[in-house]
Amino acid sequence: MRIPAVLLTTVCLAAAAASATACSSGSKTAAAAPPTAASSAAGRAGSSPTSSGVSPGGSSSPDLNACALLSVTQASSLAGKHYSAAKAQIIAAGQDQCTYKSTSGGGDLVVIVYQPASGVTWQTLTSVLKGSGTVKSVSGVGDKAMADAIELDAQADSRLVAIQGAGGTLTGDYSAAAIAKAVIAALH
């Protein structure tokens, strides 16, 4: 539902980088807006995933293999759903995603880790979630966490983690919190 506005923002940001006069007839707010989690994902939706995720450990790259943080078996156990495979993808510099394919008819589980160099901030994630409706603070997950009905975002040190498709804490489903805790533990 947010895709058209997000795509406009992404196009304006790209045009603004290419030309100082780009998007001058459009909204200055859209052109000046920081990249959001949603815009980065939408902007990179067509990019091809990596087979292993990213550079091996010890590399100077800020990217990591998000699928190495949580196995398919762990994801299935924590979510109470069955996932058949995990697909790693770098959605933008410093934004690493793992998509767990659902076999139980529900939606896929998506885990995104935002590294400090990604440009995504806690304020960015807060803005995106608040735009979708009711948001609730979640205690006991990372340094701080919040959730809406379908997504949980957490901050752990300088990294941000987004869990999508595992249910939100607003409905009494704490699978997303358990998954976030496991991912955060694997990051340390």
Side-chain angles (χ1 to χ4, degrees):
M1 288 184 246
R2 292 181 273 174
I3 297 299
V6 169
L7 288 176
L8 174 62
T9 300
T10 303
V11 169
C12 286
L13 286 170
S19 168
T21 60
C23 296
S24 61
S25 65
S27 166
K28 291 184 189 249
T29 304
T36 64
S39 69
S40 295
R44 298 289 186 161
S47 57
S48 62
T50 61
S51 60
S52 65
V54 293
S55 307
S59 166
S60 62
S61 170
D63 297 315
L64 57 87
N65 182 340
C67 293
L69 302 171
L70 187 71
S71 71
V72 173
T73 302
Q74 289 173 302
S76 296
S77 175
L78 293 170
K81 299 176 183 175
H82 187 264
Y83 301 107
S84 61
K87 181 179 177 182
Q89 180 178 8
I90 299 171
I91 55 177
Q95 298 180 26
D96 307 287
Q97 175 175 306
C98 185
T99 303
Y100 298 85
K101 183 71 177 157
S102 174
T103 60
S104 58
D108 295 344
L109 169 66
V110 178
V111 173
I112 305 171
V113 177
Y114 299 100
Q115 302 289 350
S118 71
V120 175
T121 65
W122 182 253
Q123 292 75 21
T124 304
L125 295 179
T126 300
S127 176
V128 171
L129 273 190
K130 285 185 176 178
S132 69
T134 304
V135 177
K136 175 181 173 183
S137 291
V138 179
S139 61
V141 180
D143 300 329
K144 56 185 169 183
M146 62 185 163
D148 66 4
I150 60 169
E151 180 174 337
L152 181 135
D153 295 331
Q155 181 173 357
D157 298 321
S158 61
R159 292 181 174 138
L160 301 169
V161 175
I163 309 298
Q164 303 167 350
T169 58
L170 297 179
T171 60
D173 179 355
Y174 293 92
S175 313
I179 292 167
K181 286 179 184 181
V183 169
I184 290 167
L187 285 168
H188 287 89

